[in-house]
Amino acid sequence: MNEQVLSLRLKKVGEKVPQGARLADIGSDHAYLPTFLTINGKISYAVAGEVVKGPYESAKKQVAKNLLSEKIIVRLANGLAAIHDEDQVDAITIAGMGGTLIRQILENGIKQGQLKKNETLILQPNIGERTLREWLMLNGYGIVDEEILEENDKIYEIIVAKPVGNVHYTEQELLFGPFLLQEKNETFIKKWQREVKSKERVLGDLMKAHVVPRSKVAEVKEQLSWIQEVLV
């Protein structure tokens, strides 16, 4: 993967970025995504945020190599602190992290005033999709698009959200994704077939415990029931 050829996962994230956006890519990984999108005329401006010095330096070199230092600003900062008011960012990508970490980044962004709640969010959690969807719902973001894909035997979900005010999702929609639940494509089925086996193992371990945590057992059984219903 490089600035000319993205991984399938990042390519799909890039496809969700609005045309002409002013983008903040948080945890930018060599700035591959904003560089690719700028070269291909998809975005007009970008901030590439990195919290670790090594990746920050790599991103700066990547941008300079492609003569894009005036269009892509690389900043060493924690989360959305990479965004300044003058950037006028209207889209944010956060990819390749756990859902809990992405949720924390967004929460801190609201508290610190970097998240204005007028941006399109394009999020690609590696795990913990449910907790991320819950945060979006609680903070007035509606999910407007989702995609599930497989690459190198790993399954990824992409969630696109926009501020809409009051929004409500059922527990099943939070777990599976409202759009993914409607589509139920082959990759979705494959993911949840794997999850059945995983949760059955968890349930077996819980039942062997000296003190059986009844609430946790009930939670796992309920989710297993939902998954089995979806897979029918």
Side-chain angles (χ1 to χ4, degrees):
M1 184 175 73
N2 54 46
E3 77 277 14
Q4 301 292 338
V5 182
L6 298 180
S7 66
L8 176 63
R9 174 182 63 88
L10 271 188
K11 183 171 179 288
K12 291 293 184 180
V13 169
E15 288 174 2
K16 307 293 184 186
V17 174
Q19 181 67 40
R22 294 179 68 86
L23 177 70
D25 184 40
I26 305 302
S28 198
D29 185 24
H30 294 80
Y32 285 148
L33 180 61
T35 302
F36 176 86
L37 294 177
T38 303
I39 289 172
N40 287 279
K42 184 76 183 283
I43 60 174
S44 59
Y45 175 88
V47 173
E50 275 294 352
V51 70
V52 179
K53 191 71 183 290
Y56 162 77
E57 295 292 350
S58 296
K60 284 194 74 172
K61 288 176 185 176
Q62 183 70 32
V63 170
K65 183 183 80 171
N66 286 277
L67 306 177
L68 293 174
S69 298
E70 291 186 4
K71 290 190 173 183
I72 303 174
I73 308 302
V74 183
R75 293 200 181 112
L76 184 64
N78 190 359
L80 300 189
I83 302 172
H84 297 175
D85 285 346
E86 61 266 25
D87 298 322
Q88 298 182 305
V89 162
D90 55 21
I92 297 172
T93 48
I94 311 178
M97 305 179 198
T100 300
L101 178 55
I102 296 175
R103 177 176 175 147
Q104 182 182 337
I105 288 170
L106 294 172
E107 185 66 29
N108 289 342
I110 285 183
K111 289 177 181 176
Q112 295 163 9
Q114 294 112 9
L115 188 61
K116 307 298 184 184
K117 297 190 76 170
N118 58 6
E119 305 93 342
T120 299
L121 304 179
I122 304 101
L123 312 171
Q124 185 271 296
N126 288 345
I127 57 171
E129 297 87 359
R130 187 208 170 282
T131 190
L132 188 52
R133 291 190 184 98
E134 180 183 54
W135 186 92
L136 293 169
M137 178 180 73
L138 293 174
N139 286 275
Y141 280 89
I143 297 169
V144 297
D145 190 17
E146 292 179 301
E147 188 161 350
I148 188 167
L149 62 119
E150 183 173 10
E151 184 175 35
N152 299 327
D153 204 37
K154 292 183 179 178
I155 293 176
Y156 302 99
E157 294 183 14
I158 300 169
I159 303 167
V160 184
K162 293 185 178 182
V164 296
N166 291 333
V167 62
H168 175 74
Y169 296 111
T170 66
E171 283 296 322
Q172 289 92 335
E173 287 173 327
L174 290 175
L175 181 64
F176 299 110
F179 284 84
L180 302 180
L181 187 57
Q182 288 181 18
E183 185 184 4
K184 288 201 282 190
N185 66 21
E186 288 182 14
T187 308
F188 175 92
I189 297 298
K190 185 173 183 178
K191 170 179 176 167
W192 290 104
Q193 284 173 338
R194 290 179 181 177
E195 283 295 315
V196 166
K197 294 177 182 177
S198 174
K199 290 191 182 297
E200 285 175 341
R201 284 194 297 270
V202 169
L203 189 59
D205 291 341
L206 288 171
M207 298 306 289
K208 293 174 188 173
H210 293 300
V211 179
V212 178
R214 292 182 180 179
S215 61
K216 184 63 178 176
V217 168
E219 178 188 333
V220 175
K221 282 184 174 180
E222 183 176 51
Q223 291 188 355
L224 259 174
S225 173
W226 292 343
I227 297 169
Q228 287 160 348
E229 286 177 17
V230 163
L231 292 178
V232 169

